[in-house]
Every structure is written in C-alpha cells, then in structure tokens.
Amino acid sequence: MSGVWVFKNGVVRLVENPAAESLDGSRQSSNTRRKVLVHTPSNEVITSYAVLEHKLWSLGWERYYEDPSLLQFHKRSTVHLISLPKDFNKFKSIHMYDIVVKNRNVFE
C-alpha cells in the first residue's frame, strides 16, 4: 500500500495519489500529471498512433486490420497481440503497460 496518510479533524485516511488530491481532500485536476509512453532508445514521447506505429513496425510488429474499432499489432515470431482503441485520446496507462511488457527495454 503506497500513498500519504492524512490526519484531519480527528480522522486518519490514506491518500493513494497525493499528486491528484490535496491534503484537504479536494481534487486538483489541473496539477495531475498524465502518464506518457516513452521510446527509450530515442528518448521520444509517443504523441500519436503514427509515431507509435512506426516504432512498432521497426521492431517487427505488423498491423492487423480485422477489427475496424481497434488498432491491432501482431509480431510474427510470437503469439502477442497489442490492441489499442482507435481514438488516441482513449489511449490509457493499461495500453501503455501492454506495449512496455511486450517490448522490454524499448518502451517505458
């Protein structure tokens, strides 16, 4: 369990993400940092699917076009499949994690 323990008005509670929540309990959405996917060899932040597709292609990933609602990539030498939402704005940390796990030492 990680976070910060806050004591206020005789009550102790755990704030798991202190960057997103102030000590008084209010949300601070303007100060919340977004997670980003970084291509470690070039130290480049992935800002679009076009950039990501180019990086994955150079690693041997091929694009699948079977499901029009998803962007999917497959690597021939493995059974791995990367499925991403079509809209880059819906690209979340779980998708980043999937890419990092399947491409160790290339993304973080």
Side-chain angles (χ1 to χ4, degrees), residues 8-52:
K8 183 178 178 191
N9 298 332
V11 177
V12 176
R13 67 182 181 91
L14 178 64
V15 177
E16 292 191 26
N17 187 358
E21 190 171 333
S22 70
L23 296 179
D24 66 359
S26 63
R27 301 296 288 178
Q28 295 177 340
S29 60
S30 63
N31 292 337
T32 303
R33 292 177 23 190
R34 287 192 66 200
K35 294 183 180 181
V36 294
L37 182 65
V38 177
H39 182 252
T40 51
S42 65
N43 203 27
E44 180 181 358
V45 174
I46 303 302
T47 56
S48 69
Y49 279 146
V51 173
L52 177 61

Side-chain angles (χ1 to χ4, degrees), residues 1 6 9 11-13 21 33-34 46 50 53 71-73 75 81 85 102 104-105 107:
M1 191 182 312
V6 177
N9 298 332
V11 177
V12 176
R13 67 182 181 91
E21 190 171 333
R33 292 177 23 190
R34 287 192 66 200
I46 303 302
E53 186 171 2
L71 288 180
Q72 293 183 312
F73 299 93
K75 198 168 192 178
L81 181 69
K102 294 174 181 168
R104 298 203 186 276
N105 303 320
F107 292 99

Side-chain angles (χ1 to χ4, degrees), residues 37-97:
L37 182 65
V38 177
H39 182 252
T40 51
S42 65
N43 203 27
E44 180 181 358
V45 174
I46 303 302
T47 56
S48 69
Y49 279 146
V51 173
L52 177 61
E53 186 171 2
H54 178 72
K55 301 294 184 190
L56 290 174
W57 181 81
S58 68
L59 295 169
W61 290 87
E62 298 175 352
R63 176 90 184 271
Y64 268 15
Y65 293 93
E66 292 181 15
D67 188 344
S69 65
L70 295 172
L71 288 180
Q72 293 183 312
F73 299 93
H74 177 261
K75 198 168 192 178
R76 281 187 187 219
S77 60
T78 69
V79 295
H80 297 301
L81 181 69
I82 297 173
S83 295
L84 307 171
K86 195 79 164 177
D87 183 2
F88 189 74
N89 292 326
K90 295 180 181 175
F91 185 60
K92 305 289 184 204
S93 59
I94 190 71
H95 304 112
M96 295 178 204
Y97 179 77

